[in-house]
Amino acid sequence: MDLSRYLNLNFFRENGFERKKCKSCGSYFWTLDSKKELCGDQPCVDFSFIGNPVTKRGYSLREMREEFLSFFEDKGHTRIRPYPVVARWRKDIYLTIASIADFQPHVTSGQSKPPANPLVISQPSIRLNDLEEVGVSGKHLTIFEMMGHHAFNSKDEYIYWTEETVSYCHEFLTERLGIDEKTITYKESIWEGGGNAGPCLEVLVGGLEIATLVFMNMAEDKNGEVEIEGSRYSEMDMKIVDTGYGLERLTWVSRGTDTIYDVLYPEIVEYIKNQSSTDERHLIYALADHTKCIAFMLGDGIVPSNVRAGYLARLMIRRSLRFMRSLGMKDSLYTLVEMHIKDLKKDFPQLYRARKRIEEILEIEEEKYNETISRGSKLVDRLIREKKRLDVNSLIQLYDAHGIHPDMVRKIADEKGVNVEIPKNFDSIIAELHSKEEEKEEEIIEIPIAKETRPLYYEDAYLRRFKANVIWSGKINGRNAVILDKTAFYPEGGGQPSDIGKLAVDGKEVEVEYVEKIDGTIVHYTKEVVEEGKEVEGIIDWERRYSLMKHHTATHVINSACRKILGDHVWQAGSQLDVNEARFDFSHYKPLSERDIKEIERVANEIVKEGIDVVKEFLERSEAERRYGVILYQGGVPEGRIIRVVRIPGVDVEACGGTHLNNTSEIGKIKVVRGERIQDGVNRLIFVAGKEKVEELERREKERLNNILEKLRIKFDIRSVEKDVSKVLQEIAKMFSVPSDKIEDTIDKFLRDIPREKRIEAKNIIDACDRLFKEWKRSRKERKRIPRELIDKILSDFSEDYKDYRLIFVDNTEILKNYDSLAVAEELAKNDKTIVCIRDDKGLVFSASQDVDIDLRGIAREIGSILGGGGGGKEKLARCGGNKLENIEKAMKEAKMLIESQLSG
């Protein structure tokens, strides 16, 4: 790209600037100093402002922020509030990395209007790509405010472009801040990010880049004529002024301290230093920075977990805890985070309001980290013994799967005399791996006609029958398909299943089995062929649709109730509707208590009883965001300039394309069936909506409880717990550590293990189950106590030598009928160079001693397929089974061949 085409500005020429080429790096730059030969950037020059501030006076962060914002307000810019640091409006990134990220992709693509034009903002931003430099370089930060003034030029509206941008910058730096204009360098470069690119000027003072002026004029395009960093771009209609001024860096050059951390966190740096047993200054500085980053992450609603933004929050928390250990600090992590929260109270009050939640999250995370440390040493020790060498991928897997950092690995490896090479930038590597959403390849379905179908379900969600014309009929992927000019059939989307029903044509009715939307065209898959050109009458399966509408509106109500009871950090992680029940997944930092679930159900039913009208409207995205903010995107980020917003006033507002009730009272009743912790940081509520559906559920639950009591031979009149049947079932499920719907299967197994005469009767259901459960555990313990005589007999009767190994294949189930086959297999594998395969009433159990280089999981999976099922487990202990146990002898022979093959390899 010829930068001079864009950056050879009248402003430079008219004000006496010279364009020069840096003798060190070869970059072109503009300066008023005719003697200057270097571009003014590191490493070409050193810092010259340390001890020598460049502004007319020293500024605090708050003063510098206000100086910038008010300057551009005076220049006709509208000041807007910063966005959260978690980028809820983006599908591609998790964290807000710059002020322009607030407006990508919808505003920058021209799809949506900006909130103001021109505008000015000071946006807290987080970047984790240079973690190892933080605290070391003196200038790197993970959390910073990018101050920016932005102008969005389109074909219809011109605001300003390159000349005015540079003029504003120069005026602000020289006249407002008092920087000597001869010390300012404008270095030419190219910027790209978030699917956009453009020429830019890096603004340098005293050896430090304090601002970047980007002239965004290109969008990513695989057929584009310009290539930048391996990606191709083409010119776009929008011309966007994207500036980024570093608030912290400007404050630093105004004060001239040794490092940026000394001007930003003097009190916290001093506190950490006083509480530390060692003066490792780079750790002290990094900890001061990281704890501010954590305050913003958790304050803006991120819940630590093992995925997405939650992964990055946990990375920062654990990195900070490691630093505290290295420094010998005894304080809790929250002590440091709280210092930031109090300091930021005036400028970012949302952090202060969230302080109790932040404290609780950090207590939980600290406890988890300590557990990881205690169990991690054994795991690392075993891996080092097995693998002898750990590469970068092994280290990443250890951290991702078990939370074990390479620092711990190195310590244990050193003790064993094993060398482990750890990349200096390991934390940055894993942060980068988890900073962006992976692009998913969507199946492309080609349809012969591309015409947008008129969706009648948006005009009237209660429309049960309609007339339409068939504009295309044929087959798609081998199925009968029909496209109508308009339809009331809802296509699957947003967690809501598609409608089903019938098309009446020529005196007969054809079943509609499934409906989907392909690029605006709604396709109906039918059981029989419907001729093109025919007029049809569509008939919706109304009972099914109305139940789905109840569950969909109830999902929004449940979401609101969760936020009210648990906190505004709750964010939808997924949902799925069904005719009989629905599930709602959401972020929360701990499992739900019974009280939490009851309160959520109570609040949800209060909303139902209030009878609030449900407002459904189409709005321009910019207007919707202006009114409601990013809370709109709880259920995902829709495409397009116009979005459909579903709002229950005072309760919930979301961008949603589903069919909804007109009033919350139509839901009738909501009953939360159960709560589950489906993954770290994510909870699930299963609930039923609709009076009839709730009554049906309660009837089924009573039947189930009666069935369970009958199985357990417990005599009890369930009328005394009629209102708490769900609770009783949950308690039983909890006791057996299984999901509620697995209770009966588990009890069947449970009864098989307990001698008949040991069954107990009691007046209290839970007490009876508890006593039975304890008896079951005692029986299991007895079955796991393996006598030496049994081991000796198996070794004598069932073992054979193969090369240097001992193979033990036990096909006699009678000998093991009173013992746990897994326990026997584990006991046998305590012998050196031993591989075990045991037949029991469920399938096969495999084990191997630690000195055998074999992974039994793959063998278990393959043999499981012979048994009509599957297999899995651990590397040295696995099992398989299925519904074709008649193939057990064949399975054992095949297992032996596979094991011998692996041992031979």
Side-chain angles (χ1 to χ4, degrees), residues 359-527:
E359 181 176 17
E360 188 174 4
I361 289 174
L362 289 177
E363 284 176 1
I364 292 169
E365 286 299 305
E366 202 157 343
E367 189 177 330
K368 286 180 179 177
Y369 177 72
N370 291 333
E371 289 171 2
T372 299
I373 295 295
S374 63
R375 73 169 185 268
S377 56
K378 292 179 181 177
L379 178 61
V380 173
D381 185 63
R382 180 171 66 79
L383 278 174
I384 288 173
R385 276 191 285 108
E386 289 178 6
K387 292 194 171 185
K388 305 299 181 186
R389 181 178 175 275
L390 298 178
D391 58 14
V392 174
N393 289 331
S394 299
L395 294 174
I396 291 172
Q397 188 177 6
L398 263 177
Y399 186 83
D400 280 356
H402 304 285
I404 299 168
H405 194 271
D407 286 352
M408 180 193 290
V409 178
R410 178 189 280 132
K411 185 178 178 183
I412 296 169
D414 287 347
E415 291 171 0
K416 302 289 181 184
V418 176
N419 181 46
V420 176
E421 291 185 14
I422 301 171
K424 182 184 174 185
N425 63 333
F426 179 83
D427 284 3
S428 293
I429 290 172
I430 56 174
E432 185 65 25
L433 285 173
H434 292 268
S435 289
K436 295 179 181 179
E437 188 73 58
E438 287 185 20
E439 289 187 17
K440 297 175 183 175
E441 285 190 18
E442 295 184 6
E443 182 186 3
I444 298 173
I445 301 175
E446 293 187 2
I447 55 176
I449 183 169
K451 184 176 180 182
E452 196 158 312
T453 311
R454 179 180 162 194
L456 299 175
Y457 48 82
Y458 284 154
E459 297 172 26
D460 181 2
Y462 292 78
L463 186 64
R464 307 181 191 197
R465 303 173 82 102
F466 65 96
K467 295 279 181 70
N469 296 311
V470 178
I471 60 174
W472 180 84
S473 176
K475 287 190 180 290
I476 295 177
N477 291 339
R479 298 173 67 184
N480 296 321
V482 172
I483 298 173
L484 308 177
D485 60 341
K486 54 183 175 292
T487 186
F489 282 93
Y490 179 80
E492 182 175 14
Q496 180 174 329
S498 82
D499 285 331
I500 60 174
K502 297 173 182 177
L503 293 179
V505 57
D506 292 340
K508 68 174 184 177
E509 293 181 340
V510 177
E511 286 186 37
V512 176
E513 299 177 313
Y514 177 67
V515 185
E516 70 174 330
K517 193 174 188 178
I518 304 171
D519 295 332
T521 303
I522 298 174
V523 180
H524 308 70
Y525 294 94
T526 56
K527 199 166 187 177

Side-chain angles (χ1 to χ4, degrees), residues 788 791-799 806 808 828 831:
R788 186 68 226 176
I791 297 299
D792 290 342
K793 181 170 179 54
I794 292 172
L795 289 172
S796 171
D797 295 353
F798 298 96
S799 68
R806 175 186 292 172
I808 301 173
L828 287 166
N831 294 280

Side-chain angles (χ1 to χ4, degrees), residues 71-328:
F71 173 84
F72 281 97
E73 276 187 312
D74 293 344
K75 300 295 182 183
H77 294 64
T78 300
R79 183 189 302 210
I80 66 168
R81 293 177 58 80
Y83 286 48
V85 297
V86 53
R88 306 284 195 192
W89 60 96
R90 298 283 295 265
K91 292 181 179 179
D92 54 339
I93 57 174
Y94 304 129
L95 300 175
T96 308
I97 55 174
S99 59
I100 194 62
D102 299 347
F103 314 111
Q104 291 174 310
H106 302 108
V107 175
T108 55
S109 67
Q111 273 191 354
S112 181
K113 293 179 180 178
N117 199 10
L119 61 83
V120 64
I121 187 173
S122 187
Q123 175 61 51
S125 306
I126 295 176
R127 294 183 189 175
L128 306 180
N129 55 326
D130 288 313
L131 280 172
E132 287 69 28
E133 293 297 325
V134 177
V136 177
S137 69
K139 66 178 181 179
H140 280 84
L141 302 168
T142 60
I143 176 84
F144 57 93
E145 282 183 58
M146 183 172 283
M147 303 187 298
H149 60 96
H150 299 279
F152 304 88
N153 301 288
S154 66
K155 288 181 177 178
D156 301 323
E157 185 179 26
Y158 178 84
I159 308 300
Y160 63 80
W161 191 226
T162 52
E163 296 287 353
E164 298 91 334
T165 301
V166 179
S167 178
Y168 285 149
C169 176
H170 202 71
E171 182 182 345
F172 173 70
L173 295 178
T174 56
E175 297 184 22
R176 202 70 171 243
L177 299 185
I179 298 174
D180 181 356
E181 64 180 355
K182 287 188 176 180
T183 66
I184 302 171
T185 302
Y186 295 93
K187 177 184 170 185
E188 296 179 2
S189 188
I190 298 172
W191 175 93
E192 58 100 20
N196 297 112
C200 73
L201 290 166
E202 295 171 0
V203 186
L204 301 147
V205 173
L208 183 69
E209 183 182 345
I210 57 171
T212 306
L213 314 178
V214 178
F215 306 107
M216 189 188 294
N217 62 351
M218 290 182 287
E220 203 164 350
D221 177 1
K222 62 182 180 181
N223 299 316
E225 63 276 9
V226 179
E227 184 174 347
I228 303 171
E229 298 291 330
S231 297
R232 301 201 74 82
Y233 293 86
S234 59
E235 290 252 356
M236 60 185 190
D237 293 335
M238 297 284 290
K239 299 290 183 285
I240 299 165
V241 173
D242 167 25
T243 66
Y245 293 69
L247 169 62
E248 291 80 4
R249 290 188 172 199
L250 281 167
T251 305
W252 185 21
V253 297
S254 82
R255 303 278 287 279
T257 55
D258 288 344
T259 73
I260 198 168
Y261 319 110
D262 294 307
V263 72
L264 300 181
Y265 318 119
E267 295 86 1
I268 294 174
V269 166
E270 189 63 26
Y271 179 85
I272 295 172
K273 185 179 176 183
N274 291 337
Q275 299 300 313
S276 300
S277 58
T278 178
D279 188 19
E280 293 185 69
R281 191 54 63 99
H282 67 288
L283 292 184
I284 293 171
Y285 285 150
L287 189 56
D289 164 88
H290 289 8
T291 44
K292 180 179 178 182
C293 184
I294 292 167
F296 272 91
M297 283 178 148
L298 303 187
D300 276 356
I302 298 177
V303 172
S305 68
N306 293 325
V307 295
R308 301 185 177 91
Y311 179 99
L312 300 174
R314 179 166 288 165
L315 168 66
M316 294 304 294
I317 291 168
R318 293 191 169 183
R319 185 173 161 87
S320 298
L321 289 169
R322 287 202 320 276
F323 289 173
M324 291 179 75
R325 280 182 173 239
S326 297
L327 290 167

